[in-house]
Amino acid sequence: EPEVTQTPSHQVTQMGQEVILRCVPISNHLYFYWYRQILGQKVEFLVSFYNNEISEKSEIFDDQFSVERPDGSNFTLKIRSTKLEDSAMYFCASSPGQGNQPQHFGDGTRLSIL
Amino acid sequence: SQQGEEDPQALSIQEGENATMNCSYKTSINNLQWYRQNSGRGLVHLILIRSNEREKHSGRLRVTLDTSKKSSSLLITASRAADTASYFCATDDGNNRLAFGKGNQVVVIP
C-alpha cells in the first residue's frame, strides 16, 4: 500500500539554525499538509498546499516557516531560524482531493532544538 | 477552530472486551475522522464520517456522530492486543485543516 515517507526520522539542530524537513507524499495525491505535535500536546495543523501554493495556514505558520514542492515528488518544510519551542514531532500528510477525504500521514520527524 | 476532545483519556481493557471512546467538538463540521497512533509512529486513518451520516462501520470499528450534541464515539469490538495504541478524533470544517483532540490511550491486556 502506498505511504507517505518522511526524512529524517530525527533531526537535532542548534537554536538559530535553519532546518529542512522532507516528505514524499503518495504519488497521485494532490493536497499536502504539515502538522506538528509538541510533546504531550495535541496535533496541530500548520499548513496545506495545493497546486503549488499554500491554500490554508494556521497562526503557528509565521514568517519563519515556508513550504515548497521542489520537484514532482518531494514536499518540504523549512524553518528559517529555529527556536527552542520549535521542538516537536512534525507530520506530513497528503490526500487525493479535498472535501471528505482522509489524510494519510507519514511517521513524522522528531525535531530537537538545542 | 474546532477542537476535538476525547473522553476518557486512558482505557485499559482485557482482550476480547469492547472499547468505547467519545469525542466532542465545538463548531460545525464537514466530517469527523478517527486516527490511531502506535508509539513512535504516524497517524493511521481509521474511519471518516460525514456530517450528514449518523453511523458508520469498518470491520470491528463502529463510529457514531451526533451533530446536535456535537459528539462522536468510536467503538472497537472484540479488542486485540494489537489494538493497543492512542486514538484521536479530528474534525474537518471543510477547509481540510484537521483539528485533533488530545487522544485516548488504549491498552489491551492479552
Side-chain angles (χ1 to χ4, degrees):
Chain A
E1 186 175 326
E3 55 183 29
V4 175
T5 57
Q6 290 187 242
T7 55
S9 55
H10 191 188
Q11 174 80 45
V12 182
T13 301
Q14 291 287 332
M15 187 172 60
Q17 296 295 305
E18 175 183 286
V19 67
I20 297 176
L21 308 182
R22 302 181 191 278
C23 169
V24 179
I26 294 173
S27 62
N28 61 348
H29 285 188
L30 301 176
Y31 287 80
F32 315 117
Y33 315 87
W34 284 100
Y35 293 80
R36 80 171 184 193
Q37 185 179 31
I38 295 171
L39 188 64
Q41 297 186 24
K42 297 180 182 182
V43 176
E44 301 171 289
F45 170 83
L46 293 178
V47 66
S48 61
F49 191 86
Y50 168 71
N51 200 26
N52 280 320
E53 58 184 32
I54 290 173
S55 47
E56 293 276 335
K57 61 180 181 179
S58 71
E59 316 73 52
I60 303 166
F61 194 87
D62 61 21
D63 292 344
Q64 293 287 89
F65 291 88
S66 62
V67 288
E68 193 179 24
R69 187 152 165 84
D71 52 42
S73 59
N74 289 284
F75 179 52
T76 62
L77 174 70
K78 182 193 290 186
I79 309 174
R80 255 177 279 281
S81 177
T82 49
K83 309 183 189 79
L84 293 175
E85 54 265 36
D86 293 328
S87 294
M89 280 291 285
Y90 286 82
F91 292 106
C92 173
S94 67
S95 65
Q98 70 167 23
N100 296 315
Q101 299 276 342
Q103 295 182 18
H104 298 263
F105 284 75
D107 281 345
T109 293
R110 180 171 298 283
L111 178 62
S112 300
I113 307 300
L114 304 178
Chain B
S1 60
Q2 348 291 330
Q3 294 291 320
E5 291 288 346
E6 295 89 357
D7 171 57
Q9 300 293 309
L11 187 62
S12 184
I13 57 173
Q14 293 289 332
E15 201 166 31
E17 291 180 341
N18 296 343
T20 300
M21 288 153 271
N22 297 306
C23 167
S24 60
Y25 56 92
K26 294 176 183 169
T27 59
S28 62
I29 61 169
N30 201 44
N31 65 70
L32 185 143
Q33 305 180 33
W34 284 91
Y35 287 82
R36 184 186 75 225
Q37 185 180 36
N38 291 89
S39 182
R41 302 297 302 273
L43 296 149
V44 175
H45 180 264
L46 295 176
I47 199 162
L48 180 153
I49 186 164
R50 302 180 185 201
S51 60
N52 61 352
E53 296 176 316
R54 292 297 164 258
E55 189 171 311
K56 205 159 181 183
H57 296 253
S58 176
R60 292 183 296 112
L61 305 179
R62 174 179 167 255
V63 166
T64 64
L65 179 65
D66 186 337
T67 51
S68 66
K69 294 181 180 175
K70 291 186 167 56
S71 68
S72 173
S73 68
L74 171 68
L75 167 68
I76 305 172
T77 59
S79 62
R80 303 169 183 167
D83 295 330
T84 294
S86 293
Y87 292 83
F88 296 85
C89 73
T91 54
D92 179 356
D93 62 1
N95 290 318
N96 277 34
R97 38 190 302 174
L98 295 179
F100 283 85
K102 275 193 171 180
N104 276 286
Q105 191 166 0
V106 174
V107 175
V108 181
I109 303 164

